[in-house]
Each structure stands twice: as structure tokens, then as C-alpha cells.
Amino acid sequence: MDGAATPAKVRTEVQGRIGIITLNDPATLNAAGIELMDGLTAAFDGFVANPDVRAIVLTGEGRGFCSGANLSAGGSRITENPNGPNQALLKVYNPFVSAVRKSPKPLVAAVNGVAAGVGASLALVCDLIVAAESAYFLQAFRRIGLVPDGGATYLLPRLVGKVRAMELTLLGEKLPARTALEWGMINRCVPDAELMPTAMALATQLADGPISLGYTRNLIWASMDAAWHDQVEQEAYVQGDAARTEDAREGIMAFVQKRPAAFKGR
């Protein structure tokens, strides 16, 4: 296990080939103010750049995953242009979720407790989402006269359909983890004590897999916007890249020799 120096509101560690990012401001249920987001961005960038890390787990310390933007902190929003867009979203939140979408390494969210507002977006932008039975998702923006952000209006209709996305955002009701699983919004709903073991088991499968898993998750993300012809053409190009990797050569050889493949992530 390795420690890494990051801002106090975000904690990182490495277990084997897995980088773990823990939002670490439990007093606010890990509210995503600017300081926490800066730490989260630094932690994510560090793991992406680390060749020994092949999968990333994102979770929260304490009773919540992330309660949303820290509206009670004066520095939670960058000074606004009275006639323009929200600068915090443009300069901090949007660049982070966009970087996660384009990540070369797969991510697993381990959602404990509340995932509200932009906190829900931080979970949903991950590739695999595991939630504790006590967890819930909340689009709380209607309660404060704001609109969903962090990519929520993009992600929710694609994950659960327009009708349910409207219900979640316009009514602002809690969505229990079990219902989120039934709706196809998350991958697993497990007893609270099994949250991190389950997330780590999934991350281990990803970390032990070939480098092509990163290519695959990027193709799936691209497909959410692409036309059929463009997507199948992109598959052909990316398949060419994948075929030239050491992992592909090892995987094919292992298949022929009828043995498990030993992937190296390159």
C-alpha cells in the first residue's frame, strides 16, 4: 500500500494495481467545494499518469459519497459574471467530468450514503457503479432554484430514459440504491459492509485485464453521441491500435496455448 500527498479533503492510496480516491470531508458529507474538486482533479490526474495504476476506485469517507456542491462555503463557487455562464462549472467541475469521460483507465464508483447534486454526477460518470443498500441518489437542484449540472442532464436521460430523468430532476425525490439498480442506473447494490470489497473486486478484474479495456470504455462513451457508420469505423481504427499492443499478442498466444493470459497493461 502506497500513500500519496494530496490536499486534505481528498485521500489517495494504491493497492496493487488499483488507485483509490477517497473524498475526505465527512463533516460536510464530502461536499464538492472548489478545494475538494482541486484535490480530486489532482488525485485523478496523478493516477492517470501513474503507469502502475490500471484501474481507479472513487468513494467517500464517512456517511456520504458526496452531498453536492458546498453552497455554505464562500469559496464553493468561482466569482460569477453577472451576464454569463457559471464560471465554477466551466473552469472546475466540467473539466473534471470531461476528463473522466476520456480516461484511458476504467473507473469504479463505490457509493456510500448520499450522492446528491454534482455528487451524483461524479458517481454516474464512472464506468462501473456499486452502491451500498443505504445509499441514495438525489437531484436536489429544484430545492434551491438551480438546474442539474456536472453532466446530469446528459447522463440521466441516457441511463434511465427521458421519463425517469424528468421525474428525478423535476420532482427532486430520493432514489434509493435498490431502485437505481432496477432502473439500470448502477451496476450493483450490496449490503453496506460489502461495498468496498465488491468495488475492489471489480476494480481488480479491470486492473488485471488488458490495456484494451481503456479503449473499450472510451468506445462505449463515444457511442453515446455517434452515428452508426462513424461508430463502426471508429471500432476498426481502435481495433487496429489494440491489436498492436503487447496484451493482444499475449492474449492470442494464451488462447492458442489454452492457458490464462498474463496481461501487463501495455
Side-chain angles (χ1 to χ4, degrees), residues 33-180:
I34 298 300
E35 181 182 351
L36 183 141
M37 287 302 302
D38 286 345
L40 177 56
T41 299
F44 172 75
D45 290 346
F47 283 151
V48 167
N50 185 341
D52 295 327
V53 169
R54 290 167 54 183
I56 300 169
V57 172
L58 176 62
T59 192
E61 181 66 36
R63 297 181 298 107
F65 177 77
C66 177
S67 59
N70 193 347
L71 298 179
S72 64
S76 65
R77 296 286 180 179
I78 293 174
T79 302
E80 296 299 322
N81 177 341
N83 299 311
N86 182 291
Q87 295 300 302
L89 289 175
L90 290 183
K91 295 179 179 179
V92 179
Y93 297 88
N94 291 358
F96 176 76
V97 293
S98 296
V100 170
R101 173 173 169 153
K102 297 177 181 178
S103 171
K105 302 177 182 182
L107 292 93
V108 178
V111 181
N112 52 309
V114 60
V118 76
S121 297
L122 295 180
L124 297 179
V125 79
C126 293
D127 303 310
L128 298 177
I129 306 162
V130 183
E133 289 178 340
S134 65
Y136 63 92
F137 298 83
L138 176 64
Q139 297 296 316
F141 300 93
R142 74 175 306 280
R143 303 181 182 186
I144 53 175
L146 296 176
V147 301
D149 58 25
T153 60
Y154 179 95
L155 292 166
L156 286 172
R158 288 163 172 79
L159 291 172
V160 301
K162 174 248 184 185
V163 170
R164 284 172 169 164
M166 287 291 191
E167 180 178 346
L168 289 171
T169 56
L170 298 184
L171 299 182
E173 298 173 343
K174 292 181 181 180
L175 183 71
R178 182 61 60 185
T179 306

